[in-house]
Amino acid sequence: MKARSAAALIGAALILTLTASARAAAAEEETLRVCLNENIPPYSFHEGKEAGGFDLAVAEAVAKHLGRALAVQWFETGIDADSSLTLQANALLSDGRCQLIGGYPLFRVALGRPGVETARLPGFEGAKPDDRRRVSLGELVPTKPYHFAPLTVILSGSVADKSIASLADLAGLRLGVNQSTLSDAILMRYGAGKYVNQVTHFIPGHSELFPRMESGDIDATLTELRRFDDYRDKHPDTRLKASGYFHKIGFNMGYVGLGADRPLIEAVDAAIADIIAKGELAAMAKSAGMTYVPPTEPDVLESISIVDFFKD
């Protein structure tokens, strides 16, 4: 009797363990796991208990459309040899840290299989020392885009009323730009270098450019619209103004997942299409302090020609 009782208890314990495991697996399957950059406002930001941004709002809307709970894995941009967003995204996805990366530029060279087989995981919330290992990489597949990230001209208060229809309208203005950026490459090459002697360079990350424009030292800059949105949100009394001009080089932004997870990609495509059709994205952007620009055709930018740097 004692032997049978012990066996019954062991059997019951085993059933409970299996049931708990099955419930945990089901919960995992019902959760949409999205990786978001922790410091790229107003797209996404996370510090302590504070989290927000447009990409987070979109992720919440997509998860709701799919009938899933949302779990966000926050990650940070590294500065080592493996710090490209392409490799970081692939490593996070390939290691199973998330199913999708939000706020990803849909550029052909940043998709598909990378030119290397492995990459290090970036820093991420909850990471342990041994998580800075190399991960075998997979194939990156994009969803449909949910917004467009343009480069725009920002004007100082003294020239805020100037009409900017092309970069040619910057002639005679004192220009500033963060060095070693896409905007820098465009301004330095435009018109076969016509603005080389008009440009003052600033070190990225030192937050000097907009304050120097406020003080009147710089008349105009070419920069990402989201950077100005973030600055304007933190300085509501600014005299700086967005010109409304967008350069032809820009990127649609969407999600990226692994090729092995194509059914999820297709489901997210349908969710994005529904959210766009309902006109919800502009309101999400406004709440995040971001200027919403709809996606453009084609969904994925195939390439950038050197000629594009010499023209508007």
Side-chain angles (χ1 to χ4, degrees):
M1 289 292 292
K2 290 183 179 180
R4 284 198 296 271
S5 296
L9 287 172
I10 292 172
L14 180 60
I15 290 172
L16 288 173
T17 300
L18 293 173
T19 301
S21 297
R23 286 175 179 169
E28 178 74 10
E29 191 172 312
E30 292 170 359
T31 299
L32 180 66
R33 293 174 289 114
V34 177
C35 283
L36 294 177
N37 192 309
E38 69 177 15
N39 187 27
I40 187 166
Y43 291 167
S44 57
F45 59 88
H46 176 245
E47 185 175 355
K49 295 182 179 180
E50 184 180 8
F54 177 68
D55 286 335
L56 178 58
V58 175
E60 290 170 342
V62 168
K64 181 178 179 180
H65 187 281
L66 298 180
R68 300 190 186 190
L70 175 68
V72 175
Q73 173 66 74
W74 297 99
F75 72 95
E76 60 184 350
T77 302
I79 57 173
D80 57 24
D82 287 344
S83 64
S84 77
L85 177 60
T86 302
L87 296 179
Q88 289 180 343
N90 205 319
L92 287 165
L93 291 165
S94 297
D95 197 51
R97 297 293 163 178
C98 50
Q99 299 161 293
L100 300 168
I101 306 286
Y104 193 87
L106 304 188
F107 188 29
R108 185 61 64 192
V109 297
L111 299 169
R113 292 195 175 276
V116 296
E117 294 184 358
T118 65
R120 278 187 204 287
L121 285 163
F124 59 87
E125 185 181 34
K128 300 178 177 61
D130 60 356
D131 284 322
R132 290 295 288 165
R133 64 186 183 280
R134 301 190 74 85
V135 174
S136 296
L137 304 179
E139 177 192 11
L140 295 184
V141 177
T143 66
K144 294 287 186 180
Y146 52 85
H147 77 107
F148 180 73
L151 296 173
T152 189
V153 169
I154 305 300
L155 300 169
S156 69
S158 60
V159 295
D161 294 332
K162 185 174 178 60
S163 176
I164 304 294
S166 74
L167 294 184
D169 294 324
L170 299 178
L173 299 183
R174 294 166 299 171
L175 306 178
V177 70
N178 285 322
Q179 67 183 19
S180 304
T181 61
L182 181 57
S183 298
D184 183 14
I186 292 170
L187 282 183
M188 295 300 285
R189 288 169 175 79
Y190 181 76
K194 67 180 293 184
Y195 292 145
V196 167
N197 295 324
Q198 288 179 229
V199 176
T200 298
H201 287 88
F202 296 89
I203 300 174
H206 285 226
S207 304
E208 292 182 80
L209 178 55
F210 290 147
R212 289 285 295 275
M213 292 180 68
E214 297 277 21
S215 68
D217 296 335
I218 301 295
D219 295 321
T221 185
L222 179 69
T223 189
E224 299 101 315
L225 179 57
R226 75 99 185 160
R227 291 188 182 277
F228 180 61
D229 283 336
D230 182 44
Y231 179 81
R232 181 169 50 189
D233 183 61
K234 294 172 181 174
H235 302 84
D237 59 343
T238 182
R239 296 177 63 235
L240 306 187
K241 177 185 174 184
S243 65
Y245 160 82
F246 295 158
H247 193 272
K248 68 179 295 183
I249 298 177
F251 303 95
N252 281 330
M253 308 292 277
Y255 291 101
V256 67
L258 291 178
D261 214 359
R262 289 181 187 274
L264 175 62
I265 299 295
E266 293 172 1
V268 172
D269 281 344
I272 291 173
D274 185 61
I275 293 167
I276 290 176
K278 291 178 178 177
E280 298 174 354
L281 291 171
M284 293 181 198
K286 184 177 181 180
S287 294
M290 189 185 97
T291 304
Y292 180 69
V293 182
T296 63
E297 294 290 342
D299 287 350
V300 176
L301 181 63
E302 294 296 329
S303 64
I304 298 175
S305 167
I306 189 63
V307 176
D308 296 331
F309 288 89
F310 292 86
K311 299 180 179 180
D312 287 290

